[in-house]
Amino acid sequence: MNILWSETMHPGGKWSGVIGKGKLIRLTAMEEGANVTMLMYHAADLTERYNMPDTLKAQHTAHLTKGHVLMSDNGRALASIVQDDLGWHDPLGAYTTRESTDEKYGVSRYQERRNDWLRSGQENLAVELTRCGLGNRDLSPAVNWFSKVYCDEEGNMHFAEGHCKAGQVVTLRTEMDILLVLSNTPHLLNPSKVYPSVPVKLEVLPALPVDSQDYCVNYRPENRRSFNNTWNYYALQG
C-alpha cells in the first residue's frame, strides 16, 4: 500500500494530528527499547476519548495486542490493532512527569541544554493538547506502545526490560476520525538511569474496508458491539 504520510519521532519528541477513519497508523521502533505514549480522542467531538477501563474490562485483558479494540467512553470503536510484532503493549503505566524525569535522569532545563533537555511525557502531551484546543484537564489514561508491564501475585507492577527489539512494528486501524496525541518519552517504570534515546517512525497508510469477518470485529462479542455503535454513528451522519 502507498504511504500517505510519514514522519520520524526523535527521542523526546511529540506529535499530534487528526487522522481520518479507514487509515492504518504504523509505528516502527528504529532501535530497541522504544516507548511511545498515546492519547486518542474523537476528532469531531473531543469530549469523547479512549476509555482504558472499558477497553480492558470488555476484552478481559490487562494488556493490548492484535485483535484488541480501543474503545471510547461512548462504547464506540475508535481504533483497532491489526498488526503487532510484540504481543504486549502497556495500557496501565501512565507517563513520566517533570518530577519523575528530574529524579531519575537528573535536573534538565531548556535554558541550559536547549533542545537536548530531557522532556517528560506529561509536558509533551499537555503542549500538544493545548495546540488542539484542549488542556491539562483533558489528560487521561494513555497507552504505552512497545512497553510491557505485568503484575506479580501481590499486585506489584513490573517493567519487562528488553521487550522491544529494533524494527518491531505495531499497526492501528482507525475506525473513526481521531485526534492522535503522541509523546516519544521513556516509560514511567523503566528502571534505566540513562534517558532512552530511540527514534520511532510514524506512517499513515490507507486501510482495506472492514467486513463482518474482520479479525478485530470478531475477537470478542464486546468488540462487535463497539463496531456496531461506530457504524451506526456514521450511518446517521449520512
Side-chain angles (χ1 to χ4, degrees):
M1 292 185 179
N2 293 329
I3 296 173
L4 302 175
W5 176 86
S6 177
E7 182 168 309
T8 297
M9 295 182 63
H10 297 288
K14 58 190 183 299
W15 185 88
S16 64
V18 173
I19 301 175
K21 67 184 181 75
K23 302 293 190 299
L24 298 177
I25 303 170
R26 186 165 63 194
L27 299 170
T28 304
M30 306 305 289
E31 301 171 18
E32 64 178 22
N35 181 79
V36 173
T37 303
M38 183 199 78
L39 302 177
M40 184 179 289
Y41 305 80
H42 178 194
D45 179 3
L46 296 176
T47 64
E48 182 179 5
R49 62 214 42 200
Y50 162 68
N51 185 297
M52 179 266 281
D54 286 354
T55 294
L56 302 186
K57 176 181 66 177
Q59 297 174 98
H60 299 192
T61 186
H63 70 279
L64 296 172
T65 187
K66 181 180 177 180
H68 286 145
V69 174
L70 304 180
M71 300 179 185
S72 79
D73 43 18
N74 283 346
R76 293 193 273 252
L78 286 170
S80 50
I81 304 173
V82 297
Q83 177 194 8
D84 181 19
D85 292 343
L86 295 94
W88 191 303
H89 301 267
D90 167 48
L92 302 173
Y95 34 75
T96 53
T97 63
R98 180 75 266 148
E99 293 75 16
S100 66
T101 301
D102 287 347
E103 180 179 356
K104 183 177 293 186
Y105 307 113
V107 176
S108 172
R109 296 187 298 182
Y110 174 80
Q111 290 85 345
E112 297 162 352
R113 298 184 60 174
R114 298 301 178 184
N115 287 335
D116 291 330
W117 75 297
L118 306 182
R119 298 164 174 84
S120 75
Q122 184 182 53
E123 290 170 314
N124 274 357
L125 296 172
V127 168
E128 292 305 308
L129 288 175
T130 300
R131 288 175 175 170
C132 299
L134 299 171
N136 286 336
R137 69 177 185 176
D138 297 293
L139 287 165
S140 57
V143 176
N144 285 297
W145 301 112
F146 302 110
S147 291
K148 178 178 180 178
V149 171
Y150 62 94
C151 296
D152 60 27
E153 294 298 325
E154 297 180 350
N156 300 306
M157 298 172 68
H158 299 275
F159 181 85
E161 297 184 74
H163 176 62
C164 173
K165 310 302 182 186
Q168 289 189 308
V169 173
V170 58
T171 304
L172 310 180
R173 183 182 61 208
T174 57
E175 313 300 349
M176 302 185 74
D177 300 329
I178 63 164
L179 169 63
L180 189 69
V181 183
L182 302 174
S183 176
N184 185 6
T185 40
H187 193 284
L188 179 63
L189 299 180
N190 189 338
S192 174
K193 298 300 182 182
V194 178
Y195 191 91
S197 298
V198 182
V200 174
K201 183 184 291 185
L202 173 63
E203 298 170 298
V204 176
L205 307 90
L208 296 174
V210 179
D211 59 31
S212 61
Q213 303 305 309
D214 182 79
Y215 182 76
C216 297
V217 172
N218 293 288
Y219 191 81
R220 287 200 55 80
E222 293 84 353
N223 289 21
R224 178 174 285 275
R225 286 198 288 270
S226 71
F227 272 92
N228 282 333
N229 290 338
T230 294
W231 295 336
N232 288 336
Y233 170 83
Y234 281 109
L236 293 171
Q237 298 296 305

